[in-house]
Amino acid sequence: MSPEDFLKEVQAIGEKFLLKLQKLPKADPVEIASFSVVLLFIATVLVLTIIACSCCCFRCCGCDGRPDPRHKKSRVRPAA
């Protein structure tokens, strides 16, 4: 997929989303509830992804941005 196709696809999705938002005040209560559930799901996935990435980055690099020496891989030597 070329970058131009990707941008067109994102723009089409954005236009559909804006159209849905414009029609929302006149929608049925069931449609409003289902749209809210979808938005809540998307927000939850984004928040959990951010939390997971921040925890992983914090564990690997610590607060100062340098790798934590305690997590360095050690080589196992065979017993003589």
Side-chain angles (χ1 to χ4, degrees):
M1 178 180 257
S2 69
E4 293 84 18
D5 292 338
F6 179 72
L7 288 175
K8 287 179 184 177
E9 192 70 30
V10 170
Q11 184 178 7
I13 291 172
E15 288 173 359
K16 288 179 186 178
F17 182 72
L18 287 176
L19 184 64
K20 192 69 151 173
L21 281 177
Q22 290 172 350
K23 291 181 180 180
L24 201 57
K26 296 180 259 178
D28 296 336
V30 174
E31 191 173 356
I32 293 172
S34 63
F35 188 72
S36 300
V37 167
V38 170
L39 285 180
L40 183 64
F41 175 76
I42 291 171
T44 303
V45 168
L46 289 175
V47 167
L48 290 176
T49 303
I50 291 169
I51 290 171
C53 289
S54 65
C55 288
C56 179
C57 184
F58 180 74
R59 188 177 307 130
C60 293
C61 299
C63 292
D64 56 1
R66 288 182 284 158
D68 190 359
R70 292 178 290 168
H71 292 282
K72 187 184 261 187
K73 292 182 180 178
S74 61
R75 296 186 180 199
V76 178
R77 297 181 185 174

